């Protein structure tokens, strides 16, 4: 199976209730169709993903060593994409969870449905995007989260 294909889940029936809680980011990777794994933010990442019982989610994540990269003062500011933040309702259907974006750091995400394939093993939750065309190839973004316990 190519790394960019959806996650294959077992016969376990997953509901929205299985997501409720706080999740801490463990890994952020790009999975290329040739099997290459790229870590655009390195090995050290930070972030939290929250799913509420009311059906809302919020995600914030970045590299642990996040620094704003701004051009010289006489040029228009351009920031490197080193922070992701968005929130809205979520729905679960089969092997997917969909984040319905109502607020986002990225204006082009507003009003979109961000589909993620999911797999849960114990306290670990893996979310993966559908394949995305990127620079002549295909890539899937994979995020691994660990459940936070009080």
């Amino acid at each position: 199976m190519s790394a960019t294909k959806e996650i294959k889940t077992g016969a376990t029936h997953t509901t929205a209730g299985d997501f409720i809680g706080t999740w801490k980011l463990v890994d952020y990777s790009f999975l290329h169709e040739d099997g290459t794994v790229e870590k655009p933010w390195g090995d050290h990442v930070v972030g939290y993903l929250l799913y509420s019982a009311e059906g809302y989610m919020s995600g914030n994540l970045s590299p642990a060593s996040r620094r704003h990269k701004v051009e010289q003062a006489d040029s228009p500011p351009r920031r490197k994409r080193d922070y992701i933040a968005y929130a809205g309702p979520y729905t679960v259907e089969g092997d997917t969870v969909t984040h319905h974006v109502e607020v986002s750091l990225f204006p082009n995400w507003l009003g979109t449905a961000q589909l993620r394939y999911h797999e849960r093993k114990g306290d670990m939750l893996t979310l993966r995007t559908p394949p995305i065309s990127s620079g002549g190839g295909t890539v899937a973004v994979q995020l691994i989260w660990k459940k936070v316990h009080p």
Side-chain angles (χ1 to χ4, degrees), residues 33-46:
E33 69 183 329
D34 67 1
T36 305
V37 176
E38 176 187 355
K39 295 187 180 278
W41 292 347
D43 289 324
H44 304 288
V45 292
V46 293

Side-chain angles (χ1 to χ4, degrees), residues 11 15-16 36 56-57 74 85 87 99 110 121 140 146 150:
T15 67
T36 305
Y56 283 81
M57 60 73 56
D74 60 346
H99 302 152
L110 294 172
K121 289 184 181 175
K146 181 176 171 101

Side-chain angles (χ1 to χ4, degrees), residues 2-5 29-34 36-38 40 128-142:
S2 168
T4 58
K5 292 197 177 175
S29 299
F30 291 174
L31 308 178
H32 296 270
E33 69 183 329
D34 67 1
T36 305
V37 176
E38 176 187 355
R128 187 178 296 167
T129 66
I132 302 164
S133 294
S134 174
T138 303
V139 65
V141 179
Q142 178 174 277

Side-chain angles (χ1 to χ4, degrees), residues 6-130:
E6 63 272 6
I7 295 171
K8 299 294 183 189
T9 58
T12 308
H13 178 71
T14 306
T15 67
D18 296 319
F19 288 83
I20 294 172
T22 302
W23 302 83
K24 184 174 180 159
L25 185 63
V26 175
D27 185 70
Y28 176 78
S29 299
F30 291 174
L31 308 178
H32 296 270
E33 69 183 329
D34 67 1
T36 305
V37 176
E38 176 187 355
K39 295 187 180 278
W41 292 347
D43 289 324
H44 304 288
V45 292
V46 293
Y48 288 95
L49 178 62
L50 287 76
Y51 288 102
S52 76
E54 295 79 20
Y56 283 81
M57 60 73 56
S58 177
N60 289 269
L61 53 147
S62 74
S65 60
R66 180 174 180 258
R67 300 282 186 265
H68 286 293
K69 305 236 182 205
V70 179
E71 298 292 318
Q72 294 181 4
D74 60 346
S75 64
R78 294 185 319 185
R79 287 200 169 96
K80 177 181 167 187
R81 184 182 229 182
D82 65 351
Y83 194 87
I84 297 172
Y86 68 98
Y90 72 96
T91 54
V92 176
E93 186 174 327
D95 64 349
T96 64
V97 57
T98 303
H99 302 152
H100 304 276
V101 182
E102 290 184 349
V103 60
S104 175
L105 179 65
F106 310 123
N108 60 322
W109 281 25
L110 294 172
T112 66
Q114 296 291 318
L115 182 125
R116 305 289 184 259
Y117 295 100
H118 65 80
E119 180 179 38
R120 175 121 184 245
K121 289 184 181 175
D123 284 350
M124 304 303 287
L125 173 66
T126 300
L127 298 179
R128 187 178 296 167
T129 66

